[in-house]
Amino acid sequence: MTKQILIVDDHLLVREGLKLIIETNEEYRVAGEAENGEIALRLAEQLRPDIILLDLNMPVMNGLETMKRLREQALDIPVIILTTYNEDDYMVQGLALGAKGYLLKDANREKLFHTLSSALRGETLLQPEVASKVFGFQQERVSPAHTGRRELPALSDKEQLVLQAAARGYRSKEIAFDLGISERTVKAHLTSIYNKFGVDSRSQAVAMAIEHGVIHL
């Protein structure tokens, strides 16, 4: 089944460029385009796309606010951040809000489709150095009254291996092959890790584990 994509960016040339590349692959179709978050929310509700490519720095309603509103409206649609080299702060905040990864606006065709397919599988693409920034941003949001750092629950040996591989960017399918287990089992281990750490994404789990020394890169 063709996957429907919503492109959200205030620059027409960026939207058109992405659309041209996406339409070279029959597995994907651009279902809609929006120039700001306000329009994006309406289209997300109407079209229910499989994935959203979302710029963060836009007029009217920026990408961060759009992600918050998507969550408030229970629109559980994977989001990939569209970014440039000089938007680290925005990108980190977007990832901390649950984005499935980020894509440079001038990314090549191979990178674009790799990022799309990973997000649609429910995986999060996150480089280790970015994971550390994401965790740092989350820590800044903690109340000043919270002065202690809680200990993380212990992981099983298998969970440790799965999380270590995830931190290095391996996909669930690759982790399953390397460990000789099913992909479903890998996802079950990840869910268990999320529950233990009190997080809801791979990027958050990796960032927390790095900060607490549970895994090393």
Side-chain angles (χ1 to χ4, degrees):
M1 182 181 294
T2 303
K3 299 300 183 182
Q4 308 296 312
I5 300 173
L6 174 60
I7 302 175
V8 186
D9 194 291
D10 60 323
H11 292 98
L12 176 62
L13 288 178
V14 172
R15 299 198 306 271
E16 289 299 311
L18 288 169
K19 185 176 180 180
L20 284 172
I21 297 175
I22 289 168
E23 292 184 344
T24 65
N25 189 328
E26 60 184 16
E27 295 182 10
Y28 300 95
R29 187 179 80 84
V30 176
E33 301 176 37
E35 61 190 46
N36 60 60
E38 192 173 274
I39 298 172
L41 286 172
R42 292 202 300 268
L43 290 179
E45 178 69 34
Q46 294 169 9
L47 303 173
R48 298 294 173 128
D50 296 292
I51 197 162
I52 297 174
L53 296 178
L54 180 66
D55 185 22
L56 295 180
N57 191 8
M58 298 181 294
V60 184
M61 182 186 294
N62 66 31
L64 297 176
E65 182 61 28
T66 303
M67 291 184 67
K68 294 174 185 176
R69 294 279 294 276
L70 285 168
R71 180 181 297 178
E72 290 171 1
Q73 296 178 25
L75 292 172
D76 188 20
I77 303 169
V79 171
I80 293 174
I81 293 169
L82 293 174
T83 185
T84 58
Y85 285 101
N86 61 350
E87 293 181 326
D88 281 359
D89 290 342
Y90 281 133
M91 179 187 69
V92 169
Q93 292 179 54
L95 290 166
L97 285 170
K100 290 296 182 182
Y102 63 93
L103 188 71
L104 292 174
K105 293 183 181 182
D106 60 354
N108 60 32
R109 183 179 186 276
E110 181 181 2
K111 179 65 175 177
L112 170 61
F113 289 121
H114 176 61
T115 304
L116 285 172
S117 61
S118 295
L120 287 167
R121 287 193 299 268
E123 299 171 356
T124 302
L125 290 178
L126 191 61
Q127 297 299 317
E129 62 272 19
V130 178
S132 297
K133 290 182 180 180
V134 172
F135 184 81
F137 170 74
Q138 292 170 328
Q139 286 293 88
E140 290 173 3
R141 299 171 68 192
V142 175
S143 167
H146 182 76
T147 56
R149 187 176 72 177
R150 68 182 178 88
E151 291 296 322
L152 293 181
L155 301 180
S156 69
D157 291 343
K158 193 70 75 174
E159 288 170 346
Q160 184 99 10
L161 290 172
V162 167
L163 189 58
Q164 183 78 52
R168 291 173 176 165
Y170 288 97
R171 298 176 296 175
S172 294
K173 186 175 183 179
E174 296 168 329
I175 296 171
F177 179 79
D178 288 344
L179 298 181
I181 56 180
S182 70
E183 189 173 353
R184 178 178 295 181
T185 301
V186 170
K187 292 179 179 179
H189 284 312
L190 287 170
T191 299
S192 175
I193 293 167
Y194 300 163
N195 290 336
K196 288 181 177 181
F197 286 5
V199 299
D200 55 16
S201 74
R202 185 178 299 206
S203 59
Q204 292 171 351
V206 168
M208 187 170 287
I210 292 172
E211 176 69 16
H212 285 72
V214 174
I215 59 175
H216 303 280
L217 301 172

